[in-house]
Amino acid sequence: MPRPAAEDAAWARLAAIGAAILVFGLLFLLPLLAVFVEALRRGLDPALAAIADPDSLAAIRLTLLVAAISVPVNMLGGVAAAWCIAKFDFPGKRLLTTLIELPFAVSPVISGLVWVLLFGAQGWFGPWLQEHGLRIVFALPGMVLATVFVTFPYVARTLIPLMQDQGREEEEAAATLGASGFQTFRRVTLPNIRWALLSGVLLCNARAMGEFGAVSVVSGHVRGQTNTMPLHIEILYNEYQFVGAFAVAALLALLALLTLGAKLLLERLTGRRAAVHA
């Protein structure tokens, strides 16, 4: 009797699982473990001293500041874009959807270079900015702009499929009952997307803290002033300060792991809530 196509031999399932675990271990777990091992090679005290260095602390503060500004901006923009795409029909809808994907297709280095061409000293708006004493490139505003660009899709792409699946019936019913657009969003749309929104924000935050290419182009690499954690790690490594480089890298990896853990916990809580309501 022929075996159903949906059934696989036990050895095939085990082989597939083993291959997945092997690839995951070699590509993700092993490098991550190596970072922490190298950071603690000379003990905990040298690693903590490297993190407590003034330049390292400045890089940590700047990284958190850039993320604290970029993530709310992307949250608001991502929600607005997802709401427009999922709930309304308008000319240029496909173009807007494509533009949201643009940061995934463009190299981060190129996206950083765009801001230099626009706001650099020799850029389109550079002379005007210099006349008015404004500085964007090689300063915090440029780093925020670069980070916002490369992290924008995360919130929008997390929300768009969910909001499209939910349809427009509830919003249309609220409008029929006399609710304004803001009331409809606050009382109908937002409660339905809050968990997905938080998941997208966590992804956006993780990318914002770890961004290197775009920020490297617009930062100027001024130690203690415009170096984020990834840029500071590169400088320490190039100067053969391996303990300091791996210590800061371990801290950045730990922040990423905490973000991932929060996302997994959120997904589990969301699944439980969905099961209860079902």
Side-chain angles (χ1 to χ4, degrees):
M1 181 177 180
R3 179 173 55 87
E7 294 182 4
D8 293 323
W11 68 266
R13 293 197 300 270
L14 292 176
I17 294 173
I21 293 176
L22 179 62
V23 171
F24 179 78
L26 291 177
L27 296 182
F28 298 99
L29 292 183
L30 188 60
L32 186 63
L33 179 62
V35 169
F36 287 95
V37 169
E38 291 295 328
L40 300 175
R41 180 177 293 276
R42 297 184 181 177
L44 181 61
D45 291 339
L48 294 178
I51 294 175
D53 180 78
D55 290 339
S56 298
L57 292 178
I60 294 171
R61 287 193 296 266
L62 183 59
T63 300
L64 297 178
L65 178 60
V66 171
I69 298 173
S70 304
V71 172
V73 171
N74 278 337
M75 180 182 69
L76 295 176
V79 169
W83 193 28
C84 290
I85 291 172
K87 303 298 182 180
F88 302 98
D89 294 319
F90 55 90
K93 180 176 179 178
R94 290 186 178 180
L95 177 61
L96 178 59
T97 305
T98 302
L99 290 177
I100 291 176
E101 304 281 355
L102 184 62
F104 286 150
V106 176
S107 168
V109 175
I110 295 176
S111 66
L113 182 61
V114 168
W115 300 115
V116 176
L117 295 176
L118 288 176
F119 303 118
Q122 307 300 323
W124 291 4
F125 306 106
W128 184 88
L129 292 171
Q130 287 183 332
E131 290 177 2
H132 294 79
L134 300 175
R135 190 175 182 183
I136 294 181
V137 175
F138 307 141
L140 177 63
M143 301 172 71
V144 171
L145 287 174
T147 304
V148 167
F149 179 83
V150 298
T151 58
F152 180 79
Y154 288 93
V155 174
R157 293 306 303 170
T158 301
L159 294 179
I160 289 174
L162 173 64
M163 296 177 75
Q164 287 176 333
D165 289 341
Q166 290 175 348
R168 311 176 186 177
E169 290 78 8
E170 294 186 11
E171 284 80 1
E172 292 173 351
T176 302
L177 295 174
S180 64
F182 178 74
Q183 289 176 326
T184 301
F185 175 77
R186 183 170 62 89
R187 296 188 177 185
V188 178
T189 305
L190 186 59
N192 289 334
I193 65 171
R194 61 183 184 274
W195 298 112
L197 174 60
L198 185 54
S199 178
V201 167
L202 290 174
L203 290 175
C204 180
N205 180 69
R207 176 64 189 276
M209 290 190 300
E211 175 55 31
F212 177 84
V215 174
S216 177
V217 175
V218 300
S219 70
H221 293 272
V222 182
R223 178 174 255 167
Q225 297 182 27
T226 62
N227 273 340
T228 57
M229 292 174 69
L231 303 183
H232 186 58
I233 293 169
E234 181 194 31
I235 289 178
L236 292 176
Y237 190 84
N238 289 337
E239 294 178 349
Y240 303 101
Q241 300 183 40
F242 298 124
V243 172
F246 283 106
V248 179
L251 178 60
L252 185 60
L254 183 60
L255 292 174
L257 290 175
L258 290 176
T259 302
L260 178 61
K263 182 178 181 295
L264 293 175
L265 178 61
L266 178 63
E267 291 176 349
R268 177 168 296 185
L269 292 175
T270 305
R272 289 181 179 178
R273 288 175 179 270
V276 169
H277 290 296

